[in-house]
Amino acid sequence: MSSILIVDDERDIRELIGDILKDEGFQVRLAGNSDDCMAEIGAEAPSLMILDIWLKDSRMDGIDILKQVKRNNPDVPVVIISGHGNIEIAVAAIKQGAYDFIEKPFNIDQLMVVVGRAMEASRLRRENSELRRKDVTGAEMLGNSPAFKTLKAQLDKVTKSNGRVMLTGPAGSGKELAARFIHAQSGRAKAGFISVSSAGIEPERMEEVLFGRETTERGLEKGLLEQAHGGVVYFDEVAEMPPGTQSKLLRVLTEQQFTRVGGVEKVRVDLRVISSTSRDLRVEIAQGRFRQELYDRLNVVPIAVPSLEERREDIPELTRHFIASFHKTQGLPLRKLSPDAEALLQTMHWPGNVRQLRNVIERALILGEGSGPIEPRELPGQDVGGGDGRMVLGGALVTLPLREARELFEREYLLTQINRFGGNISRTAHFVGMERSALHRKLKSLGVVTKARNGEDEPEE
């Protein structure tokens, strides 16, 4: 149930406000000094605070309490009340994040209007937080290939800690999805997940964007790090971060605190840091584009996210997921893949990885031919047949004698199928219509050495 914490050194005032709010159906807690106030907040954060500016015989006044509350419980709205109110105090309170300001003696109707609005704001913040959490936990990790299972096992291990994680892998392979999975399965799942585009922060604006700012005109504006308090901050493509930004981030990671632009107080935040890159940071360090000290701070637990070509077996499952998702979110046809289209997707080149596969499926559904199965001709770049059904041969192939052309075709065809089935010789043999032993002999005659999933050469039969 929503609770309201009333903090006032005058017993008659706090009890009067408490009785009024109880009559309106609110749960009320009372505190007469700063120590009792902080104890109540420590036991359970309220949905709203009504806070007196002047507190006799207290270590902290109302502004001090407000600062601490907004630092540690930023979603709790605080209504300031004072019998000595003036515009300077009102500006100071709003600047520090107060929801509103009411002077004593106050009108009960006025107080109830402000309380009602503040409670509504609190409710909306909670609902938005819930929606953000649902968005994160709804991010699914799909796949059954050996490469994916290795990734999933590593991610499962790091969810149990707060260690900094560095995700490496090609663009479009799903590094942010992996970061969201870590967050959603960790003890920080109820807090925020803030994604920071490293290349998108201009050096001169870095402090304002990450740390926030304080101005008399606009009050307190929280930066991305403060928004992520208690949760996860994800630095996407950290190798793109400008050198000046790298230095400032390193200082934050070292000191675990920062000062807002225009402010004077140090702000401490409880964060887990996850970063990603598609570059080799050791090369970037050697060429002077990335700081070794920052790399050491971020690369506590390195995890490699495999490319789509390393997990071709997962393409059918990923494709079915994308089709269902586009049907639900965009109303696109709920189609299936024909066996030939599925085989073709597993043998295509995927420089854009999972992101490219998703785009290909979306385009096929938008420009599709009815509601039947998706056929190979509907996939991009697959118009390889002549008008009479003949196959159009590549330029290199037509320059070779028949025997060499046949060997080249067989070699490339079989290598493509082996890659499609993740190196599984038995499944490859079944698909191409050969006995396993016959496939081994054919591969040997073509000079192909295959690797089993444990890294050893496949035994010949």
Side-chain angles (χ1 to χ4, degrees):
M1 184 178 179
S2 299
S3 66
I4 299 176
L5 176 59
I6 303 168
V7 185
D8 196 305
D9 60 343
E10 297 183 59
R11 180 177 177 179
D12 291 345
I13 295 294
R14 64 176 180 266
E15 290 185 351
L16 173 63
I17 297 174
D19 289 342
I20 293 170
L21 294 178
K22 286 178 184 178
D23 289 342
E24 295 295 326
F26 293 106
Q27 186 181 74
V28 172
R29 291 184 284 162
L30 306 177
N33 55 58
S34 61
D35 289 341
D36 291 347
C37 170
M38 301 315 296
E40 288 287 345
I41 296 173
E44 182 182 358
S47 300
L48 169 67
M49 282 185 64
I50 298 177
L51 176 63
D52 190 8
I53 283 285
W54 307 110
L55 297 173
K56 295 179 182 178
D57 303 322
S58 288
R59 294 183 302 106
M60 305 164 64
D61 63 18
I63 293 292
D64 293 330
I65 293 173
L66 174 65
K67 291 177 181 178
Q68 189 160 333
V69 168
K70 300 315 290 185
R71 181 166 60 244
N72 299 328
N73 299 276
D75 289 338
V76 175
V78 179
V79 175
I80 295 291
I81 57 175
S82 175
H84 310 279
N86 54 47
I87 190 62
E88 287 80 11
I89 293 177
V91 168
I94 297 300
K95 178 180 177 181
Q96 294 299 328
Y99 178 81
D100 209 336
F101 179 91
I102 299 178
E103 293 187 54
K104 296 180 183 176
F106 50 80
N107 181 284
I108 296 298
D109 292 336
Q110 178 191 12
L111 174 67
M112 292 309 303
V113 168
V114 173
V115 167
R117 289 174 179 171
M119 290 296 288
E120 177 67 10
S122 178
R123 182 187 66 80
L124 290 174
R125 286 193 184 114
R126 289 196 305 272
E127 289 183 357
N128 288 336
S129 178
E130 289 292 332
L131 289 173
R132 287 197 301 270
R133 291 202 294 272
K134 288 179 180 179
D135 179 61
V136 171
T137 55
E140 296 182 72
M141 297 287 290
L142 301 173
N144 286 292
S145 65
F148 177 82
K149 289 179 178 179
T150 298
L151 169 65
K152 183 70 161 42
Q154 292 176 324
L155 296 178
D156 286 336
K157 290 180 180 178
V158 298
T159 60
K160 300 176 177 63
S161 74
N162 280 316
R164 294 170 185 156
V165 178
M166 172 71 75
L167 299 166
T168 59
S173 56
K175 297 187 291 295
E176 181 167 347
L177 181 64
R180 289 182 177 276
F181 177 83
I182 293 172
H183 171 249
Q185 302 302 316
S186 73
R188 296 176 178 268
K190 293 183 178 180
F193 179 98
I194 301 297
S195 181
V196 180
S197 175
S198 302
I201 302 177
E202 300 174 2
E204 60 271 18
R205 294 195 65 242
M206 183 270 183
E207 291 191 35
E208 180 180 339
V209 172
L210 289 186
F211 307 150
R213 65 182 298 115
E214 296 180 21
T215 63
T216 302
E217 298 79 13
R218 301 173 63 182
L220 186 154
E221 298 177 2
K222 297 175 185 175
L224 295 179
L225 295 184
E226 200 167 351
Q227 292 176 36
H229 174 69
V232 168
V233 60
Y234 169 64
F235 291 99
D236 182 36
E237 293 297 342
V238 73
E240 303 284 348
M241 188 175 287
T245 304
Q246 293 179 32
S247 300
K248 293 170 183 175
L249 176 60
L250 176 61
R251 187 171 69 248
V252 173
L253 296 179
T254 302
E255 300 176 358
Q256 298 184 340
Q257 62 182 9
F258 57 87
T259 303
R260 301 186 193 96
V261 176
V264 294
E265 289 195 356
K266 293 288 186 179
V267 179
R268 285 190 172 272
V269 286
D270 174 23
L271 299 172
R272 183 175 191 179
V273 178
I274 302 176
S275 52
S276 72
T277 180
S278 56
R279 297 187 188 179
D280 187 337
L281 287 183
R282 290 167 296 185
V283 173
E284 299 296 311
I285 292 170
Q287 296 182 358
R289 292 192 293 263
F290 200 81
R291 294 190 57 134
Q292 177 74 53
E293 302 96 321
L294 181 57
Y295 175 79
D296 293 338
R297 292 279 181 179
L298 296 176
N299 193 46
V300 177
V301 183
I303 296 180
V305 179
S307 67
L308 183 58
E309 294 186 356
E310 295 177 82
R311 43 181 299 211
R312 292 179 181 272
E313 291 170 271
D314 297 332
I315 289 178
E317 182 178 1
L318 290 170
T319 300
R320 289 191 292 270
H321 169 73
F322 291 144
I323 292 174
S325 176
F326 288 132
H327 175 69
K328 180 178 180 180
T329 60
Q330 300 185 32
L332 294 177
L334 190 61
R335 303 176 66 188
K336 295 182 179 180
L337 284 176
S338 71
D340 289 345
E342 183 175 295
L344 182 58
L345 288 174
Q346 288 184 283
T347 58
M348 288 171 59
H349 180 48
W350 295 103
N353 295 288
V354 179
R355 184 185 299 128
Q356 182 185 6
L357 173 64
R358 185 180 187 276
N359 292 342
V360 165
I361 297 304
E362 183 177 15
R363 178 164 49 183
L365 293 174
I366 292 173
L367 303 177
E369 304 171 3
S371 59
I374 298 174
E375 299 293 344
R377 65 179 178 274
E378 299 179 70
L379 301 176
Q382 301 308 316
D383 187 14
V384 296
D388 56 1
R390 294 167 49 211
M391 177 177 289
V392 178
L393 301 179
L397 200 62
V398 299
T399 65
L400 299 174
L402 177 60
R403 180 178 177 180
E404 292 181 28
R406 182 171 60 243
E407 288 182 354
L408 177 61
F409 170 78
E410 288 181 339
R411 186 177 189 278
E412 294 303 318
Y413 172 78
L414 292 176
L415 278 174
T416 297
Q417 297 299 344
I418 290 170
N419 288 334
R420 173 190 174 192
F421 292 110
N424 189 307
I425 297 298
S426 297
R427 292 178 63 190
T428 303
H430 177 74
F431 178 81
V432 302
M434 299 177 67
E435 295 291 335
R436 190 170 184 270
S437 57
L439 177 57
H440 270 295
R441 289 192 295 271
K442 171 60 72 173
L443 293 173
K444 184 176 181 181
S445 70
L446 295 173
V448 176
V449 178
T450 61
K451 296 287 183 180
R453 291 185 173 182
N454 61 7
E456 301 295 330
D457 289 353
E458 278 276 346
E460 294 190 25
E461 296 182 351

